[in-house]
PDB file of all heavy atoms in Angstrom:
ATOM      1  N   ALA A 357     -63.645  32.602 -10.801  1.00  0.00           N
ATOM      2  CA  ALA A 357     -64.147  31.373 -11.428  1.00  0.00           C
ATOM      3  C   ALA A 357     -65.543  31.042 -10.927  1.00  0.00           C
ATOM      4  O   ALA A 357     -66.426  30.653 -11.710  1.00  0.00           O
ATOM      5  CB  ALA A 357     -63.188  30.224 -11.149  1.00  0.00           C
ATOM      6  N   ALA A 358     -65.768  31.220  -9.620  1.00  0.00           N
ATOM      7  CA  ALA A 358     -67.088  30.928  -9.060  1.00  0.00           C
ATOM      8  C   ALA A 358     -68.146  31.853  -9.642  1.00  0.00           C
ATOM      9  O   ALA A 358     -69.289  31.431  -9.885  1.00  0.00           O
ATOM     10  CB  ALA A 358     -67.040  31.063  -7.539  1.00  0.00           C
ATOM     11  N   SER A 359     -67.780  33.118  -9.904  1.00  0.00           N
ATOM     12  CA  SER A 359     -68.750  34.052 -10.475  1.00  0.00           C
ATOM     13  C   SER A 359     -69.121  33.679 -11.908  1.00  0.00           C
ATOM     14  O   SER A 359     -70.132  34.135 -12.428  1.00  0.00           O
ATOM     15  CB  SER A 359     -68.183  35.477 -10.458  1.00  0.00           C
ATOM     16  OG  SER A 359     -67.159  35.640 -11.428  1.00  0.00           O
ATOM     17  N   LEU A 360     -68.295  32.821 -12.515  1.00  0.00           N
ATOM     18  CA  LEU A 360     -68.568  32.344 -13.875  1.00  0.00           C
ATOM     19  C   LEU A 360     -69.145  30.939 -13.868  1.00  0.00           C
ATOM     20  O   LEU A 360     -69.240  30.291 -14.919  1.00  0.00           O
ATOM     21  CB  LEU A 360     -67.284  32.390 -14.705  1.00  0.00           C
ATOM     22  CG  LEU A 360     -66.706  33.788 -14.935  1.00  0.00           C
ATOM     23  CD1 LEU A 360     -65.316  33.693 -15.550  1.00  0.00           C
ATOM     24  CD2 LEU A 360     -67.635  34.615 -15.828  1.00  0.00           C
ATOM     25  N   GLY A 361     -69.499  30.451 -12.668  1.00  0.00           N
ATOM     26  CA  GLY A 361     -70.155  29.150 -12.574  1.00  0.00           C
ATOM     27  C   GLY A 361     -69.237  27.970 -12.356  1.00  0.00           C
ATOM     28  O   GLY A 361     -69.675  26.814 -12.460  1.00  0.00           O
ATOM     29  N   VAL A 362     -67.961  28.229 -12.030  1.00  0.00           N
ATOM     30  CA  VAL A 362     -67.010  27.143 -11.789  1.00  0.00           C
ATOM     31  C   VAL A 362     -66.605  27.150 -10.319  1.00  0.00           C
ATOM     32  O   VAL A 362     -65.914  28.061  -9.865  1.00  0.00           O
ATOM     33  CB  VAL A 362     -65.759  27.283 -12.680  1.00  0.00           C
ATOM     34  CG1 VAL A 362     -64.780  26.156 -12.388  1.00  0.00           C
ATOM     35  CG2 VAL A 362     -66.137  27.309 -14.140  1.00  0.00           C
ATOM     36  N   GLY A 363     -67.037  26.141  -9.580  1.00  0.00           N
ATOM     37  CA  GLY A 363     -66.703  26.053  -8.163  1.00  0.00           C
ATOM     38  C   GLY A 363     -67.531  26.996  -7.308  1.00  0.00           C
ATOM     39  O   GLY A 363     -68.483  27.636  -7.771  1.00  0.00           O
ATOM     40  N   GLU A 364     -67.145  27.085  -6.043  1.00  0.00           N
ATOM     41  CA  GLU A 364     -67.852  27.927  -5.077  1.00  0.00           C
ATOM     42  C   GLU A 364     -66.928  29.014  -4.561  1.00  0.00           C
ATOM     43  O   GLU A 364     -65.727  28.791  -4.380  1.00  0.00           O
ATOM     44  CB  GLU A 364     -68.356  27.084  -3.904  1.00  0.00           C
ATOM     45  CG  GLU A 364     -69.393  26.035  -4.295  1.00  0.00           C
ATOM     46  CD  GLU A 364     -69.909  25.278  -3.092  1.00  0.00           C
ATOM     47  OE1 GLU A 364     -69.458  25.592  -1.957  1.00  0.00           O
ATOM     48  OE2 GLU A 364     -70.757  24.387  -3.276  1.00  0.00           O
ATOM     49  N   ARG A 365     -67.485  30.185  -4.351  1.00  0.00           N
ATOM     50  CA  ARG A 365     -66.673  31.280  -3.852  1.00  0.00           C
ATOM     51  C   ARG A 365     -66.397  31.097  -2.367  1.00  0.00           C
ATOM     52  O   ARG A 365     -67.119  30.379  -1.662  1.00  0.00           O
ATOM     53  CB  ARG A 365     -67.358  32.621  -4.097  1.00  0.00           C
ATOM     54  CG  ARG A 365     -68.606  32.871  -3.270  1.00  0.00           C
ATOM     55  CD  ARG A 365     -69.097  34.282  -3.514  1.00  0.00           C
ATOM     56  NE  ARG A 365     -70.152  34.664  -2.584  1.00  0.00           N
ATOM     57  CZ  ARG A 365     -70.502  35.926  -2.329  1.00  0.00           C
ATOM     58  NH1 ARG A 365     -69.880  36.920  -2.942  1.00  0.00           N
ATOM     59  NH2 ARG A 365     -71.470  36.195  -1.471  1.00  0.00           N
ATOM     60  N   ARG A 366     -65.342  31.742  -1.904  1.00  0.00           N
ATOM     61  CA  ARG A 366     -64.993  31.633  -0.491  1.00  0.00           C
ATOM     62  C   ARG A 366     -64.408  32.961  -0.011  1.00  0.00           C
ATOM     63  O   ARG A 366     -63.751  33.675  -0.784  1.00  0.00           O
ATOM     64  CB  ARG A 366     -64.005  30.505  -0.268  1.00  0.00           C
ATOM     65  CG  ARG A 366     -62.658  30.709  -0.921  1.00  0.00           C
ATOM     66  CD  ARG A 366     -61.793  29.479  -0.760  1.00  0.00           C
ATOM     67  NE  ARG A 366     -60.443  29.706  -1.240  1.00  0.00           N
ATOM     68  CZ  ARG A 366     -59.585  28.732  -1.462  1.00  0.00           C
ATOM     69  NH1 ARG A 366     -59.958  27.474  -1.274  1.00  0.00           N
ATOM     70  NH2 ARG A 366     -58.368  28.997  -1.869  1.00  0.00           N
ATOM     71  N   PRO A 367     -64.589  33.296   1.246  1.00  0.00           N
ATOM     72  CA  PRO A 367     -64.047  34.553   1.764  1.00  0.00           C
ATOM     73  C   PRO A 367     -62.545  34.432   1.987  1.00  0.00           C
ATOM     74  O   PRO A 367     -62.003  33.324   2.123  1.00  0.00           O
ATOM     75  CB  PRO A 367     -64.792  34.737   3.089  1.00  0.00           C
ATOM     76  CG  PRO A 367     -65.095  33.334   3.534  1.00  0.00           C
ATOM     77  CD  PRO A 367     -65.368  32.565   2.273  1.00  0.00           C
ATOM     78  N   TYR A 368     -61.887  35.571   2.005  1.00  0.00           N
ATOM     79  CA  TYR A 368     -60.457  35.556   2.287  1.00  0.00           C
ATOM     80  C   TYR A 368     -60.229  35.521   3.791  1.00  0.00           C
ATOM     81  O   TYR A 368     -60.658  36.397   4.525  1.00  0.00           O
ATOM     82  CB  TYR A 368     -59.757  36.787   1.699  1.00  0.00           C
ATOM     83  CG  TYR A 368     -58.287  36.827   2.072  1.00  0.00           C
ATOM     84  CD1 TYR A 368     -57.400  35.927   1.489  1.00  0.00           C
ATOM     85  CD2 TYR A 368     -57.812  37.721   3.020  1.00  0.00           C
ATOM     86  CE1 TYR A 368     -56.050  35.924   1.844  1.00  0.00           C
ATOM     87  CE2 TYR A 368     -56.468  37.729   3.372  1.00  0.00           C
ATOM     88  CZ  TYR A 368     -55.591  36.826   2.785  1.00  0.00           C
ATOM     89  OH  TYR A 368     -54.272  36.812   3.143  1.00  0.00           O
ATOM     90  N   ARG A 369     -59.573  34.475   4.220  1.00  0.00           N
ATOM     91  CA  ARG A 369     -59.201  34.336   5.628  1.00  0.00           C
ATOM     92  C   ARG A 369     -57.769  33.824   5.664  1.00  0.00           C
ATOM     93  O   ARG A 369     -57.429  32.868   4.966  1.00  0.00           O
ATOM     94  CB  ARG A 369     -60.137  33.371   6.354  1.00  0.00           C
ATOM     95  CG  ARG A 369     -59.918  33.309   7.867  1.00  0.00           C
ATOM     96  CD  ARG A 369     -60.809  32.250   8.503  1.00  0.00           C
ATOM     97  NE  ARG A 369     -62.215  32.539   8.348  1.00  0.00           N
ATOM     98  CZ  ARG A 369     -62.922  33.310   9.166  1.00  0.00           C
ATOM     99  NH1 ARG A 369     -62.327  33.872  10.212  1.00  0.00           N
ATOM    100  NH2 ARG A 369     -64.196  33.526   8.958  1.00  0.00           N
ATOM    101  N   HIS A 370     -56.939  34.452   6.453  1.00  0.00           N
ATOM    102  CA  HIS A 370     -55.527  34.095   6.442  1.00  0.00           C
ATOM    103  C   HIS A 370     -55.076  33.512   7.767  1.00  0.00           C
ATOM    104  O   HIS A 370     -55.709  33.696   8.803  1.00  0.00           O
ATOM    105  CB  HIS A 370     -54.679  35.331   6.141  1.00  0.00           C
ATOM    106  CG  HIS A 370     -54.605  36.288   7.311  1.00  0.00           C
ATOM    107  ND1 HIS A 370     -55.609  37.162   7.613  1.00  0.00           N
ATOM    108  CD2 HIS A 370     -53.644  36.464   8.260  1.00  0.00           C
ATOM    109  CE1 HIS A 370     -55.289  37.859   8.689  1.00  0.00           C
ATOM    110  NE2 HIS A 370     -54.108  37.460   9.105  1.00  0.00           N
ATOM    111  N   ARG A 371     -53.974  32.801   7.692  1.00  0.00           N
ATOM    112  CA  ARG A 371     -53.274  32.324   8.877  1.00  0.00           C
ATOM    113  C   ARG A 371     -51.836  32.783   8.760  1.00  0.00           C
ATOM    114  O   ARG A 371     -51.182  32.537   7.748  1.00  0.00           O
ATOM    115  CB  ARG A 371     -53.322  30.794   8.953  1.00  0.00           C
ATOM    116  CG  ARG A 371     -52.499  30.206  10.103  1.00  0.00           C
ATOM    117  CD  ARG A 371     -52.754  28.714  10.244  1.00  0.00           C
ATOM    118  NE  ARG A 371     -51.837  28.131  11.216  1.00  0.00           N
ATOM    119  CZ  ARG A 371     -50.851  27.296  10.915  1.00  0.00           C
ATOM    120  NH1 ARG A 371     -50.674  26.945   9.643  1.00  0.00           N
ATOM    121  NH2 ARG A 371     -50.062  26.798  11.831  1.00  0.00           N
ATOM    122  N   ASP A 372     -51.355  33.466   9.782  1.00  0.00           N
ATOM    123  CA  ASP A 372     -50.015  34.027   9.735  1.00  0.00           C
ATOM    124  C   ASP A 372     -48.984  32.910   9.661  1.00  0.00           C
ATOM    125  O   ASP A 372     -48.927  32.037  10.526  1.00  0.00           O
ATOM    126  CB  ASP A 372     -49.774  34.886  10.980  1.00  0.00           C
ATOM    127  CG  ASP A 372     -48.464  35.642  10.916  1.00  0.00           C
ATOM    128  OD1 ASP A 372     -47.807  35.599   9.858  1.00  0.00           O
ATOM    129  OD2 ASP A 372     -48.102  36.279  11.925  1.00  0.00           O
ATOM    130  N   LEU A 373     -48.162  32.952   8.615  1.00  0.00           N
ATOM    131  CA  LEU A 373     -47.109  31.950   8.447  1.00  0.00           C
ATOM    132  C   LEU A 373     -45.802  32.371   9.090  1.00  0.00           C
ATOM    133  O   LEU A 373     -44.845  31.605   9.122  1.00  0.00           O
ATOM    134  CB  LEU A 373     -46.874  31.686   6.950  1.00  0.00           C
ATOM    135  CG  LEU A 373     -48.053  31.124   6.160  1.00  0.00           C
ATOM    136  CD1 LEU A 373     -47.651  30.946   4.706  1.00  0.00           C
ATOM    137  CD2 LEU A 373     -48.526  29.812   6.750  1.00  0.00           C
TER     138      LEU A 373
END
Side-chain angles (χ1 to χ4, degrees):
S359 72
L360 296 170
V362 179
E364 296 183 1
R365 69 174 190 161
R366 65 186 187 194
Y368 176 72
R369 187 184 297 274
H370 74 281
R371 175 172 172 249
D372 187 7
L373 298 179

